Amino acid sequence: MKQDRRGWLLAISALIIALDRWTKIWVTHHVSEGNEITVIPRCFFISHVLNPGAAFSMFTDSPTPGRTRWFLTVFSLVAALAVVALILKMGRRFSGTSIALALILGGALGNVWDRIRYGVVTDFLEVIIRFGHWSYHWPDFNVADSAIVCGGILIMLDALLPKKQTS
């Protein structure tokens, strides 16, 4: 009988939450809101942005920010519960999908923490993509956002890659 991996998957989620909290606390104490530290000139910065919206700053300009905050919080908690249920159901072994779910759970709960505690999410990773005279400012993000995106990519890869046939 194979060893149950659900505890390890939940530990991955907890690690993402801890890294997300630690980095947001560091930024809050070392970078004034609205300022940035250059890491790679003209390309990558550690910033300090408070995001009342969702991913890619969606809903930031909502006419009812309080309602938007609670909608996003409830949506994230419901999604986190669904992901926990999936981990409990299919997490007896490591797979691309089970690890992806652990990353998504940690990321969702990391951002929910901010929404509940502070009413906004702290974003601090700022990327500007430049090609000649053309440039694009990617919306600022954080460790939780990164975990969610990486989890989504892993799920897509796991779905697209051929499965081994069992005899």
Side-chain angles (χ1 to χ4, degrees):
M1 181 169 166
K2 289 186 178 180
Q3 198 173 25
D4 191 336
R5 302 293 186 198
R6 292 178 290 194
W8 284 106
L9 293 169
L10 294 175
I12 290 169
S13 297
L15 177 63
I16 295 299
I17 294 167
L19 284 172
D20 186 61
R21 291 298 325 130
W22 181 81
T23 54
K24 289 173 180 174
I25 290 167
W26 186 91
V27 164
T28 300
H29 287 89
H30 293 87
V31 182
S32 300
E33 185 182 338
N35 287 332
E36 61 191 30
I37 298 170
T38 301
V39 178
I40 301 173
R42 301 180 33 134
C43 182
F44 181 58
F45 308 87
I46 303 298
S47 59
H48 186 176
V49 177
L50 300 179
N51 180 2
F56 305 110
S57 299
M58 290 187 302
F59 313 121
T60 299
D61 297 324
S62 169
T64 55
R67 186 177 299 166
T68 301
R69 169 188 174 200
W70 289 110
F71 170 77
L72 292 171
T73 301
V74 169
F75 176 82
S76 297
L77 287 171
V78 169
L81 287 173
V83 171
V84 167
L86 287 170
I87 288 173
L88 293 177
K89 179 179 181 184
M90 62 184 293
R92 293 189 189 280
R93 63 181 187 84
F94 285 135
S95 67
T97 299
S98 66
I99 292 169
L101 291 171
L103 293 172
I104 291 168
L105 178 62
L109 293 177
N111 282 337
V112 161
W113 177 297
D114 277 15
R115 278 190 220 297
I116 291 172
R117 179 87 165 93
Y118 308 108
V120 293
V121 173
T122 299
D123 289 332
F124 59 88
L125 298 169
E126 181 180 3
V127 175
I128 299 175
I129 301 166
R130 298 179 194 274
F131 292 105
H133 295 296
W134 178 87
S135 69
Y136 177 73
H137 180 262
W138 193 266
D140 294 23
F141 58 100
N142 58 45
V143 170
D145 299 333
S146 300
I148 292 167
V149 169
C150 289
I153 291 169
L154 268 176
I155 287 174
M156 285 192 318
L157 288 175
D158 200 39
L160 294 174
L161 294 176
K163 304 290 183 251
K164 292 181 184 177
Q165 298 294 325
T166 56
S167 321

